[in-house]
Amino acid sequence: MAPTAARMALAAALALAIWVAWVVEPQPQRLATPAWLVLDLVVGLGAVLLLPWRRVRPLPVALTICALCVMSIAAMGPATVAALSVFARRRWRDTAVVAVAYAAGTTAFSAIHDVPDLLVDAAINVAGTLVLVALGWAVGVRRAAASGADVGDGRLARWLTSFTAREAWGLAWRMLVSAAFGLLVFFTMAGEGDSRGFTAGHLWLALDPIVGATGLLLLAFRRRWPLPITIATALLTAVSATAVGPSSLVAISLATRRRWREIAVAAVVLFASGATFNLVHRSPDNTLVSDLVVNAITLAFLVALGLFIGARRELVANLRERAETAEREQELRVAQARTNERARIAREMHDVLAHRISLVAMHAGALAYREDLPPEQVRTTAGLLQTASHQALTELREVLGVLRDTDSPAPGAPEPPQPTLRDLDDLVADARAGGQQIEVSTTGTDLTGLPELVSRNAFRIVQEGLTNARKHAPGAVVRLGLAGRPGTELTITLRNERGGDGPAAPGSGLGLVGLRERATLSGGTLSAGPDRSGAFVVRAVLPWPPPAKENA
């Protein structure tokens, strides 16, 4: 229902626009009385109400509305929408019938109202009908391709389905601008009435818009064959004023390519065509020299405009490519930092697992070779084996959930055992010795019972948080808080005011990536950002499992 309402609104808007243009026409029209004008508008808006039936009976509805165009200029709005619906069905017989009815109805209205230059009006109606037919068929092919229907194997069908929605809209507005500019030139020539071929009643007044419509159709192929289409439209301007619109746009499009050989060839043809037009449609008020000067200035303007547009497009494309490249590089840096952090954590886990497994191997070897051990010592050793194995499996399960295997081992010798929260006092003392102001609050929390993996990750989080504070807020007081107990969670909070007394050091923007990886490996979460007071807060929540029970 929404598409039907939109088309009805479009038809009503077209009807009102055409009716207003007719009312404000300065030339007197027959039957242009107030009562007739009101009746004209009522008939046109009434025809809009027939549009919902165009899908059920497309041909009768279109013919009925076209017939109303004989008595109502406003009916051209709904007639245009109904005709496009029939043309989009791509049936030659229906297309021919509706095209004839549309052109005949609009031309008959002009004849009834004694419109001056009826031949001109008829030619414009025929040219507009041809454009509507081409547009309707293009829309039909696009709809069929979008719905998955067979559109045929012809070149025209493949070409029409190759357009994206943006490209189709771009072609549509360019055709409208070209048609408007061409008609402006045509009516200017016809209004003067002193140029050869543009005098009242001359047959060429009816043929000129048709030639211009041909140029509009060629406009769609300007990017596929830029130079041939430019030459073809330029040759049309040798005899047609309406073709000046599409020819100018095609010339600008060719100049955007910034290929001087093509521009030189096209410029020669354009200038020669303009000179031919001045000779064929010679005006007694203008000299040939003045016309040639105007042609040269116009041609130079078109080429300069095309070169400017081409340079701007290239600049925008380069800037877009640079932005995309920078974004990809940033993603690669983040991914590399994540990979490096995981590899480093894996090396740390090597030390822990080696320690656990070595204990298991040592006690198992003692049980295998010492047959003289008393039962009490055997039970104690078995309990130690169970505890060490359980801790090793727990830490291994945590790591395997997030780490990925690497193709080659990390270079260098194995790292020494990593620090934990038991080394927190040394870390704080070193930071204070470097001039950093730190306030530590543990709220009576005993950190000695933390699992080694959680303790190491917590230490790294505190270390990186203090480093970030020194970089980005030198001189600011850092408040470090640790709270929690076994069986719940360990909460780490680092808070510092923004700014400070000293200059801030540049950062890579990757420190928080490693911190989040640390928190994830421990099964926790990490958040970082300003709070309501403007201070920067890093808050990590890590699980603190209950202590393992040792067997007696």
Side-chain angles (χ1 to χ4, degrees), residues 243-254:
V244 172
S247 177
S248 300
L249 193 141
V250 171
I252 294 174
S253 178
L254 180 72

Side-chain angles (χ1 to χ4, degrees), residues 122-189:
I124 294 176
N125 293 337
V126 172
T129 303
L130 293 177
V131 173
L132 286 179
V133 170
L135 180 60
W137 274 66
V139 171
V141 172
R142 294 287 301 177
R143 286 179 180 174
S147 62
D150 184 19
V151 297
D153 298 328
R155 293 183 178 179
L156 179 61
R158 291 198 302 270
W159 176 74
L160 289 173
T161 54
S162 64
F163 282 93
T164 63
R166 183 176 181 179
E167 291 173 344
W169 168 245
L171 177 60
W173 76 257
R174 286 175 174 85
M175 293 181 69
L176 289 175
V177 171
S178 300
F181 183 68
L183 290 175
L184 176 63
V185 176
F186 172 76
F187 282 117
T188 301
M189 297 289 295

Side-chain angles (χ1 to χ4, degrees), residues 472-506:
H472 303 292
V477 178
V478 182
R479 293 175 174 83
L480 170 62
L482 296 96
R485 64 178 184 274
T488 58
E489 295 174 335
L490 172 65
T491 302
I492 305 172
T493 305
L494 292 103
R495 185 179 186 276
N496 63 271
E497 301 294 335
R498 290 200 166 190
D501 299 333

Side-chain angles (χ1 to χ4, degrees), residues 421-434:
L421 285 181
R422 288 188 291 271
D423 304 304
L424 180 62
D425 294 336
D426 296 337
L427 175 64
V428 173
D430 291 341
R432 286 173 174 170

